Amino acid sequence: QQQQQQQQNDKQEEEDNDNKQSYNACMVQDDDDDDVQRVLLYWFGQNTPEKSQKQLWMIATSSIEHMQQIDAEITQQFFPLLVSLALDENKRNSWIGKGDAKKASGKCGCGSSSGSGSYWMGSIAAIVVLDQLSRHVHRYFDSVKNGGKYRSGGSVGEQGDCCNDIRVTMTNGKTLPKQSALDELAYDIAKWFQKRYQREIQCGMIPIPMMIFALMPLRHKSTLHSVGYVQAKVQDMSSLHGIDLENMIRRFRCATNRRMAVLQDEARRKGKSTIFKDSKEPLSDDNHDDDDNDNDNEK
């Protein structure tokens, strides 16, 4: 009887340990999800692509003051995350859904944004951190090393000894790897992304700005093979978004215009206005027509 009781106790202890590990995995995954969303919202979610191109992604070298502001902002917000992601392979795998980290994160069942089928978001976020934000951080510390002055053309510098004190203070003793090392990490993730998410890419599930930055590490690799691959992918994007999606938008526009013409004809017959005001504002209950002609079965 004592032996049976001991076996039950051992089993209960094992279950408690499993539950604790699952809980810890869930908590870590929640933190990772928050970081992924924070990166994506900062890099892609502030402005239109055209505006982001000028104010964030490709700042003109003549706009030194704005460049300094963005570099300092990114360093303040993402430097600890950059170091953590660069030095922790398990964290990177958790973001991109690779290996044992994916299995562990699946135990918590917390409906994470980067779970089952949506790990491509985490992959793109990891690429942005390691390939793009890292360049801003390195340039910031390079300017600190040079007394606040930027090198000609705003080039990205490597790690300097005089900057170590600043970096240690911000990362509890951990040091940011050189840009070349970060580029290799981003390159590996970019290759993984292209192989793992072919279906999502081919079906147009991933927005163009994200697709472009997912290809950046391959272009930065700067070999005939890697740049040639990027060229082929650019052509694929052009065909998908310039032909397939344009045709889809055109058909939807035509069907919508036909529907509007029918509604305007009905309004004229009833002596009502045919102009829909504030057409760019989201619809609310007050915007709905008071007649019964919104039963639209048209696909």
Side-chain angles (χ1 to χ4, degrees), residues 19-36:
N19 290 335
K20 183 177 180 180
Q21 290 176 0
S22 296
Y23 174 80
N24 290 336
C26 186
M27 295 300 293
V28 170
Q29 188 67 31
D30 283 344
D31 291 340
D32 287 341
D33 291 342
D34 290 343
D35 287 336
V36 166

Side-chain angles (χ1 to χ4, degrees), residues 4 35 57-59 61 103 120 134-135 137 144 148 151 153 184-185 193 202 222 240 247 275 279-280 284:
Q4 185 177 6
D35 287 336
W57 299 340
M58 305 293 175
I59 303 172
T61 55
K103 298 177 182 178
W120 62 263
S134 61
R135 283 172 157 74
V137 172
V144 171
R151 298 184 186 185
E184 285 300 316
L185 294 176
F193 174 83
Q202 292 170 355
S222 199
L240 175 63
N247 288 337
I275 299 176
S279 59
K280 293 184 179 180
S284 66

Side-chain angles (χ1 to χ4, degrees), residues 78-97:
F78 297 105
F79 176 54
L81 177 62
L82 168 60
V83 175
S84 175
L85 195 65
L87 300 181
D88 189 342
E89 183 179 6
N90 287 331
K91 187 177 185 69
R92 293 195 301 274
N93 288 341
S94 175
W95 280 37
I96 69 178

